[in-house]
Amino acid sequence: MDDTRRRLLMAAGEVFARRGYRDATVREICSLAGANLAAVNYHFGDKKGLYHAVIAGGHETGEALPKDQAALVAAPREALRVFCVAFAKKILSEAKPEWHGKLMAREMAEPTEALDEMVRTMIRPHWEALSGIVGRVLGEAAEPERVRQCTQSVISQLVFLSHARPVLNRLFPGDDWSVRSAAARGEAIAAFSLAALDGVRDAAGSKSEGGGECSASR
Amino acid sequence: MDDTRRRLLMAAGEVFARRGYRDATVREICSLAGANLAAVNYHFGDKKGLYHAVIAGGHETGEALPKDQAALVAAPREALRVFCVAFAKKILSEAKPEWHGKLMAREMAEPTEALDEMVRTMIRPHWEALSGIVGRVLGEAAEPERVRQCTQSVISQLVFLSHARPVLNRLFPGDDWSVRSAAARGEAIAAFSLAALDGVRDAAGSKSEGGGECSASR
DNA sequence: ATGCGTTTCAAACAGATGTTTGAATCGAGT
DNA sequence: ACTCGATTCAAACATCTGTTTGAAACGCAT
């Protein structure tokens, strides 16, 4: 039966997320899956094939994707808040089938060939969903370049939570990383970002015509 | 002479920044340095020793550190702008002795034992410098927890530039990453962040007493 | 029970990589 | 010219790791 195949996928997701593609060994994966060393080559061809299978099959999420949760909300400001909270909860989740967020964070820093597919299937859809929300919050100030920069600013704060966690743990050792706390972090980022978008919109509104950049210093 | 030692440090910095600690091979480093394979073990004990030497000796920066550039500016808002621009330029610099930013970004995502020293000597000082600036911008709204969250939001946007560059290159293939463009990105982040800080300060001011979180939705 | 395709297993293989070794080379002090 | 410590070099070594292999075990239709 292909029970071995499923156990292999689970174990691989866990190990890849914890160690990264390079440092993960097929021996550890097989051992964790209770499978023989040759199983990965039999079922997936090679280590790379297993990795791609993990990436491709990472859509069995418990909760709905952040972009889908946010799409249910009509009001732009509330949609941004929902998006941020859902995103923070997802990437900070420690639950078993939730290593997909960690895998994505790893791919961003040290890309393999799998990054292209990841950008196509997960990252770009989320980027564009958030971009639409940001554009609606900006209203008539929503010039393409400004929307792009602001979208990037919002997403960077969210990604940072998972990316810089080793550093944050050292800077603030007592921090709480529970799901409840993850939601609070998402709220804070949403509040910060909404304040920024308001300011950017108003600054662009006072100047009838904004050039390439909009540095409203002082 | 210890010319070999210096060449080894230069080559190691470049290779470690490009490949990461694990994927960097002493053979490539020695080849790039024009040194014998055994040189790294003779001069630094082992690969790990070489890596630590690179980390420790990474302070020979061309330009002044962002925190020091910002410290010269009295006005908080302008200091924040200077900090962001200097930071963006530093981490996006492709210049030879400037792989330190990349090394830091790598350590954040996949920490080795060297991260502790890095946090102590580089990250925490910058964090606290920026935290001071953010506190001054926030004025009387500068409660510790709020300052911490806002500082994190600012720094995350900056770090994202180097961390997510592979993704950004795929999302926006035509992007310019020159030094001039790096400065513009720093300006944009500063503008976004200043607008956010203004909004957060005003929102905190209107409510005489702010609780744990300050989600000013709608 | 028999035969056959599928799956599992232990063992070995092959390549990469960090490290060590012992000789050779160099450079300065006498 | 000689000596001695420091440095460099080519080669070998040891280990880790992905992959292959051929046999054994299994499931199942006949």
Side-chain angles (χ1 to χ4, degrees):
Chain A
M1 42 183 144
D2 66 341
D3 184 49
T4 309
R5 187 188 167 91
R6 198 166 32 78
R7 272 182 293 126
L8 230 34
L9 276 172
M10 288 294 157
E14 189 175 330
V15 175
F16 280 138
R18 181 169 51 223
R19 308 235 190 260
Y21 176 78
R22 182 59 199 274
D23 279 9
T25 71
V26 301
R27 279 174 172 80
E28 179 177 3
I29 293 170
C30 290
S31 162
L32 184 62
N36 183 272
L37 178 59
V40 51
N41 300 74
Y42 177 80
H43 287 282
F44 300 95
D46 54 6
K47 183 184 178 185
K48 197 184 301 181
L50 173 59
Y51 186 67
H52 276 87
V54 169
I55 298 288
H59 305 326
E60 332 111 359
T61 60
E63 266 187 294
L65 295 174
K67 72 179 178 67
D68 296 327
Q69 288 191 49
L72 299 177
V73 182
R77 306 177 66 84
E78 176 67 6
L80 182 67
R81 199 185 64 81
V82 169
F83 185 97
C84 289
V85 171
F87 201 102
K89 278 163 80 173
K90 173 150 187 58
I91 62 177
L92 293 182
S93 167
E94 298 286 355
K96 258 301 167 51
E98 300 284 344
W99 27 255
H100 206 242
K102 285 188 184 175
L103 277 187
M104 214 183 302
R106 280 198 181 278
E107 273 294 319
M108 290 180 62
E110 308 208 30
T112 72
E113 307 136 7
L115 180 57
D116 291 300
E117 187 189 356
M118 214 175 240
V119 167
R120 185 159 27 83
T121 64
M122 292 293 293
I123 297 180
R124 191 187 293 277
H126 274 89
W127 185 286
E128 286 174 354
L130 179 58
S131 189
I133 298 172
V134 166
R136 298 215 304 284
V137 172
L138 282 178
E140 63 269 19
E143 300 163 18
E145 182 59 17
R146 182 148 40 212
V147 171
R148 177 207 181 294
Q149 281 176 353
C150 290
T151 301
Q152 180 172 322
S153 284
V154 175
I155 261 193
S156 63
Q157 298 171 67
L158 294 167
V159 170
F160 189 79
L161 290 178
S162 101
H163 168 234
R165 193 140 151 212
V167 171
L168 291 174
N169 276 332
R170 284 164 171 80
L171 286 174
F172 310 102
D175 263 18
D176 175 22
W177 290 93
S178 65
V179 179
R180 181 174 307 278
S181 167
R185 290 169 195 268
E187 300 275 4
I189 289 172
F192 184 92
S193 301
L194 282 172
L197 293 175
D198 288 340
V200 167
R201 166 164 36 74
D202 295 347
S206 66
K207 305 180 178 183
S208 63
E209 191 64 31
E213 51 186 339
C214 49
S215 68
S217 77
R218 177 130 280 245
Chain B
M1 44 184 141
D2 67 340
D3 183 50
T4 309
R5 188 189 166 91
R6 198 165 32 80
R7 271 181 295 127
L8 230 34
L9 277 172
M10 289 295 157
E14 190 175 330
V15 176
F16 279 137
R18 181 169 50 222
R19 308 235 189 260
Y21 175 78
R22 181 59 199 275
D23 280 8
T25 72
V26 301
R27 279 175 173 79
E28 179 179 2
I29 292 171
C30 289
S31 160
L32 183 61
N36 184 270
L37 179 59
V40 49
N41 299 76
Y42 178 79
H43 285 284
F44 300 95
D46 55 6
K47 183 185 178 184
K48 197 184 301 179
L50 173 59
Y51 186 67
H52 275 87
V54 169
I55 299 288
H59 305 328
E60 333 110 358
T61 59
E63 267 187 294
L65 294 174
K67 73 181 178 63
D68 296 327
Q69 288 191 46
L72 299 177
V73 183
R77 305 176 68 85
E78 176 66 7
L80 182 66
R81 200 185 64 81
V82 168
F83 185 97
C84 289
V85 171
F87 202 101
K89 280 163 78 172
K90 173 151 187 58
I91 63 177
L92 293 182
S93 167
E94 297 286 355
K96 259 300 169 51
E98 300 284 343
W99 25 257
H100 208 241
K102 285 189 183 174
L103 277 186
M104 214 184 301
R106 280 197 182 279
E107 272 295 319
M108 290 179 64
E110 308 208 30
T112 71
E113 307 137 5
L115 180 57
D116 290 301
E117 188 189 356
M118 213 175 241
V119 167
R120 187 159 24 82
T121 65
M122 292 292 294
I123 298 181
R124 191 186 293 278
H126 275 90
W127 186 286
E128 287 175 354
L130 179 59
S131 189
I133 297 172
V134 166
R136 298 214 305 284
V137 173
L138 281 177
E140 63 268 20
E143 300 164 18
E145 182 59 17
R146 183 148 39 211
V147 171
R148 176 205 182 293
Q149 281 176 352
C150 290
T151 301
Q152 180 172 322
S153 285
V154 175
I155 258 190
S156 63
Q157 299 172 66
L158 294 167
V159 170
F160 188 80
L161 290 179
S162 106
H163 169 234
R165 193 139 150 212
V167 171
L168 292 175
N169 276 331
R170 282 164 173 82
L171 286 175
F172 310 101
D175 263 19
D176 175 23
W177 291 93
S178 64
V179 179
R180 183 174 305 276
S181 168
R185 290 168 194 269
E187 299 276 4
I189 290 173
F192 185 92
S193 300
L194 281 172
L197 293 175
D198 288 340
V200 167
R201 168 164 34 77
D202 295 347
S206 67
K207 305 178 177 181
S208 63
E209 190 66 31
E213 49 186 340
C214 47
S215 69
S217 77
R218 183 127 275 246

